[in-house]
């Protein structure tokens, strides 16, 4: 059976609302984030918060037993199921599945779509490990990937082959926060009956409605905004039930299932996703304007900032600019290091999407394997500082970043 199949009339159908009943169909994202996928029952004495079912296995396994065999590696633990359903509700997609990391979600989704001899087309702007998986791991399994420049929408069509099984796009990208319009790609995908898969980690379902823009499958590093507290590693896949079933099959074989406690923590994080994202959006945009008017700053990278190359499409597609920000400080790499060392509130650490502000230098973290020239080609100047803007008070953040800029201006 094909893991994915669609016909050209599938866009004319309403987006399926997942789960039993229609309780959630009219509900806001705020309500879905709290109650989505849950059991509405409220008998006296039942816990309001779901319990953690910290069990690897479940009674059963004799002839005549009515329930299917349950084991936590299979992805059927109640905490895993609850968070998968909630994510499907939030994305407005048929089904959702939680995995042990974002990379598990991405790699299993791609593996579910391809066989030896198949081909994928992907945007060239990718998270490093995704790129490595496509460039090194998939070819070992006889699968080729053609990387295209999404600035040229026609490049997707030119890259198609009879054996192409899917199109892959990530946006906004790391760290330049490029935003690409998925609609032409989704029209092509529909014409060819192929799935469009999107890594929407930076946007979350709060800032980008993937299903409304023709995306068939969404993958997330839930480690970031979905969890939101820098205390878990997780991934999520949402999409058509047939594909999710196939991925669940691979989960059983490869084994990167979510621990129940992690799934519970992720569910808890999701409850505040809408309010957290609203504040991330607000704080990052305010800081983008503030940095743009500050001495010691050469350039600010934010999708809603006027000089961002994608500002127009970003404002059209995204309901918020997100919590990520790039700042190129004067003095090149030495300036960027001085800026980071002077900070007292923001922590210098990789990763993003938590309540606390984190800064990192892509040249020393996410993009360290590239040469200086390759980084320059991607717009990552030596003085580039990536900021994951948290939820702290804006004035406190400005005071901290003033310390950083003072170090830049004092020649370190
Ligand atoms: C855009 C994007 N996708 C996927 C991943 C991988 O997620 P994880 O670290 O949860 O495996 C990351 C991690 O930084 C990311 O930034």
């Amino acid at each position: 059976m094909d893991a994915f199949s669609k016909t050209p009339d599938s866009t004319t159908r309403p987006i399926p609302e997942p789960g039993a009943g229609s309780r959630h169909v009219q509900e806001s994202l705020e309500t879905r984030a709290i109650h989505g996928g849950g059991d509405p029952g409220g008998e006296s004495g039942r816990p309001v918060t779901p319990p953690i079912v910290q069990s690897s296995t479940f009674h059963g396994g004799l002839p005549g037993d009515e329930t299917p065999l349950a084991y936590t590696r299979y992805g059927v633990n109640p905490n895993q199921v609850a968070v998968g359903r909630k994510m499907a509700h939030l994305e407005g997609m048929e089904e959702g599945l939680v995995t042990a990391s974002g990379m598990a979600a991405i790699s299993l989704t791609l593996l579910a779509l391809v066989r030896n001899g198949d081909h994928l087309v992907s945007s060239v702007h990718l998270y490093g490990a995704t790129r490595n998986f496509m460039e090194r791991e998939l070819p070992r399994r006889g699968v080729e990937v053609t990387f295209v420049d999404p600035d040229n929408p026609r490049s997707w069509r030119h890259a198609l082959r009879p054996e192409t099984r899917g199109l892959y796009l990530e946006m906004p990208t790391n760290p330049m926060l490029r935003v690409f319009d998925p609609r032409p790609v989704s029209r092509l995908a529909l014409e060819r009956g192929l799935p469009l898969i999107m890594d929407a980690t930076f946007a979350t379902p709060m800032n980008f409605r993937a299903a409304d823009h023709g995306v068939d499958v969404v993958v997330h590093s839930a480690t970031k905004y979905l969890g939101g507290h820098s205390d878990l590693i997780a991934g999520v896949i949402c999409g058509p039930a047939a594909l999710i079933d196939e991925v669940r099959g691979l989960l059983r074989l490869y084994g990167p299932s979510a621990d129940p406690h992690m799934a519970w923590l992720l569910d808890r994080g999701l409850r505040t996703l809408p309010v957290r994202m609203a504040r991330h959006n607000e704080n990052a945009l305010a800081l983008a304007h503030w940095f743009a008017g500050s001495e010691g700053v050469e350039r600010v990278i934010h999708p809603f900032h006027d000089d961002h190359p994608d500002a127009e499409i970003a404002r059209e597609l995204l309901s918020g600019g997100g919590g990520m920000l790039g700042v190129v400080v004067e003095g090149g790499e030495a300036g960027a290091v001085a800026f980071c060392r002077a900070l007292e509130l923001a922590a210098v650490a990789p990763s993003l999407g938590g309540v606390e502000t984190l800064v990192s230098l892509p040249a020393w973290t996410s993009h360290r394997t590239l040469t200086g020239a390759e980084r320059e080609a991607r717009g990552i100047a030596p003085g580039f500082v990536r900021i994951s803007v948290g939820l702290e008070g804006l004035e406190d953040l400005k005071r901290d970043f003033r310390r950083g800029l003072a170090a830049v201006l004092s020649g370190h």
Side-chain angles (χ1 to χ4, degrees):
M1 186 194 69
D2 249 359
F4 183 88
S5 62
K6 67 177 174 184
T7 50
D9 80 327
S10 60
T11 43
T12 57
R13 287 190 228 127
I15 294 158
E17 284 295 335
S22 58
R23 192 171 80 90
H24 300 279
V25 172
Q26 303 300 330
E27 284 173 355
S28 65
L29 292 179
E30 286 77 5
T31 304
R32 291 180 196 203
I34 297 168
H35 300 289
D39 179 348
E43 308 135 36
S44 163
R46 281 187 52 183
V48 170
T49 301
I52 307 174
V53 184
Q54 195 70 43
S55 187
S56 58
T57 190
F58 296 81
H59 292 278
L62 287 178
D65 282 347
E66 277 171 18
T67 49
L69 205 57
Y71 184 56
T72 291
R73 197 188 75 238
Y74 297 175
V76 295
N77 178 289
N79 298 112
Q80 298 166 332
V81 171
V83 83
R85 284 206 185 127
K86 180 172 285 187
M87 275 307 300
H89 278 290
L90 278 170
E91 291 287 9
M93 289 186 171
E94 217 173 352
E95 257 189 57
L97 182 69
V98 62
T99 57
S101 69
M103 280 316 298
I106 293 165
S107 54
L108 292 189
T109 300
L110 296 178
L111 288 174
L113 288 168
V114 293
R115 304 284 178 273
N116 193 330
D118 285 345
H119 172 251
L120 294 169
V121 183
S122 170
S123 159
V124 71
H125 299 275
L126 291 174
Y127 171 63
T130 307
R131 171 93 189 217
N132 288 343
F133 182 78
M134 290 186 183
E135 239 172 15
R136 297 187 201 156
E137 196 56 28
L138 286 179
R140 290 191 340 135
R141 293 156 194 270
V143 176
E144 268 189 59
V145 183
T146 303
F147 296 99
V148 298
D149 179 359
D151 274 326
N152 173 9
R154 275 180 303 187
S155 61
W156 295 91
R157 186 179 290 277
H158 290 148
L160 289 181
R161 300 181 192 168
E163 61 274 19
T164 304
R165 296 289 171 262
L167 310 175
Y168 189 96
L169 182 64
E170 181 181 315
M171 83 90 179
T173 63
N174 176 25
M176 299 310 290
L177 308 177
R178 297 291 316 274
V179 175
F180 303 108
D181 191 346
R183 290 169 296 191
V185 193
S186 98
R187 281 194 288 276
L188 178 64
L190 185 66
E191 184 189 310
R192 300 298 176 101
L194 297 170
L196 170 59
I197 306 126
M198 180 181 280
D199 180 338
T201 297
F202 277 39
T204 82
M206 302 314 302
N207 284 345
F208 180 64
R209 305 301 303 151
D212 295 350
H213 291 87
V215 174
D216 301 290
V217 182
V218 184
V219 288
H220 289 281
S221 168
T223 311
K224 317 300 183 198
Y225 291 105
L226 303 184
H229 295 74
S230 307
D231 55 6
L232 58 83
I233 299 281
V236 173
I237 310 145
C238 292
L243 176 68
I244 298 290
D245 267 358
E246 191 90 4
V247 178
R248 199 176 282 116
L250 294 180
L251 193 69
R252 281 177 173 228
L253 297 181
Y254 288 85
S257 313
D259 174 77
H261 184 234
M262 174 274 263
W264 183 90
L265 272 178
L266 176 55
D267 191 347
R268 188 177 69 165
L270 287 173
R271 287 158 201 255
T272 54
L273 178 70
V275 282
R276 283 189 289 105
M277 282 317 291
R279 180 61 85 85
H280 282 299
N281 290 340
E282 236 175 78
N283 272 3
L285 187 59
L287 280 177
H289 292 316
W290 180 82
F291 272 115
S294 297
E295 261 189 275
V297 175
E298 282 177 1
R299 194 180 158 199
V300 169
I301 295 102
H302 183 283
F304 285 2
H305 200 248
D306 284 335
D307 66 2
H308 191 284
D310 308 317
E312 206 178 311
I313 190 74
R315 289 195 190 107
E316 186 190 332
L317 293 177
L318 305 176
S319 53
M324 299 303 293
L325 183 61
V327 178
V328 180
V329 298
E330 290 172 3
E333 186 178 283
V337 172
F339 177 87
C340 291
R341 287 203 197 284
L343 301 176
E344 292 176 13
L345 180 61
V348 181
S351 200
L352 61 119
V355 294
E356 61 288 296
T357 297
L358 301 180
V359 301
S360 62
L361 304 182
W364 289 94
T365 54
S366 52
H367 293 71
R368 69 184 173 283
T369 54
L370 302 185
T371 63
E374 284 170 329
R375 281 194 290 272
E376 287 282 348
R378 288 167 195 228
I380 308 170
F384 195 109
V385 182
R386 189 185 81 168
I387 306 175
S388 169
V389 180
L391 309 184
E392 299 92 339
L394 198 50
E395 292 311 311
D396 298 326
L397 289 173
K398 286 183 191 167
R399 197 175 315 117
D400 202 33
F401 289 133
R402 239 178 245 123
R403 276 191 278 267
L405 291 178
V408 170
L409 290 168
S410 72
H412 335 305

